């Protein structure tokens, strides 16, 4: 197994996919509640209320839906205009059925910090091994 157990990826994208399928299979309309201010989130600004936006991601409402592990991507019409939407996984606050509100809410996720520059394996100016001089 390549993954160490301590650093598992977020379960959120997997739960979103499972609940999406469950909602659609039950003939309901899946909606995503999204933190519109999350870094990288690309959502139509004029539909954002108090930093949140609700997106209808029903199969008949969106095109090219990709429920990926890092983000959710799709194209949908907003006010008649086809719009590409990009929602980082951490920006998803909930997925639920519009008809009855059943689904799952997720804890608000802090955006990941900028990744630190990886430390070099060896400092560049490491002193060379001293040459031994034979002393008489």
């Amino acid at each position: 197994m390549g993954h160490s157990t301590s650093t598992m990826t977020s379960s959120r994208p997997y739960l979103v996919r499972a609940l999406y399928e469950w909602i659609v299979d039950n003939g309901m309309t899946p909606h995503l509640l999204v933190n519109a201010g999350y870094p990288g989130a690309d959502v139509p600004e004029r539909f954002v209320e108090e930093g949140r936006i609700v997106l209808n991601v029903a199969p008949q409402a969106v095109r090219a839906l990709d429920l990926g592990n890092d983000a959710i991507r799709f194209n949908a019409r907003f006010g008649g205009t086809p719009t590409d939407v990009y929602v980082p996984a951490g920006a998803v606050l909930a997925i639920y059925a519009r008809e009855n509100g059943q689904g799952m809410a997720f804890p608000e996720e802090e955006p990941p910090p900028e990744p630190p520059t990886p430390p070099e394996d060896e400092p560049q100016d490491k002193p060379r091994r001293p040459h031994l001089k034979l002393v008489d």
Side-chain angles (χ1 to χ4, degrees):
M1 304 290 275
H3 290 299
S4 72
T5 49
S6 59
T7 54
M8 289 181 70
T9 58
S10 169
S11 60
R12 188 175 309 216
Y14 299 85
L15 293 166
V16 167
R17 282 196 294 270
L19 287 159
Y20 180 90
E21 199 173 307
W22 173 69
I23 292 166
V24 170
D25 284 357
N26 281 281
M28 307 260 177
T29 310
H31 278 198
L32 291 177
L33 177 65
V34 171
N35 174 359
Y38 196 91
D42 187 5
V43 297
E45 283 300 317
R46 58 198 178 101
F47 295 96
V48 173
E49 283 179 33
E50 295 176 15
R52 309 271 190 266
I53 186 170
V54 174
L55 300 170
N56 176 354
V57 286
Q60 60 274 18
V62 299
R63 292 179 43 235
L65 178 65
D66 173 23
L67 297 171
N69 284 348
D70 55 339
I72 295 169
R73 303 172 185 78
F74 61 90
N75 182 282
R77 287 183 174 275
F78 291 91
T81 312
T83 306
D84 284 317
V85 176
Y86 181 87
V87 178
V92 178
L93 299 175
I95 179 168
Y96 60 93
R98 182 183 68 196
E99 290 77 3
N100 61 12
Q102 286 198 25
M104 180 179 280
F106 302 101
E108 191 132 358
E109 194 167 283
E110 288 300 312
E114 291 300 307
T117 52
E120 297 294 325
D121 284 343
E122 298 179 350
Q124 295 307 320
D125 51 8
K126 189 175 76 166
R128 284 194 193 82
R129 184 173 291 146
H131 292 296
L132 291 176
K133 285 199 176 90
L134 286 176
V135 180
D136 292 336

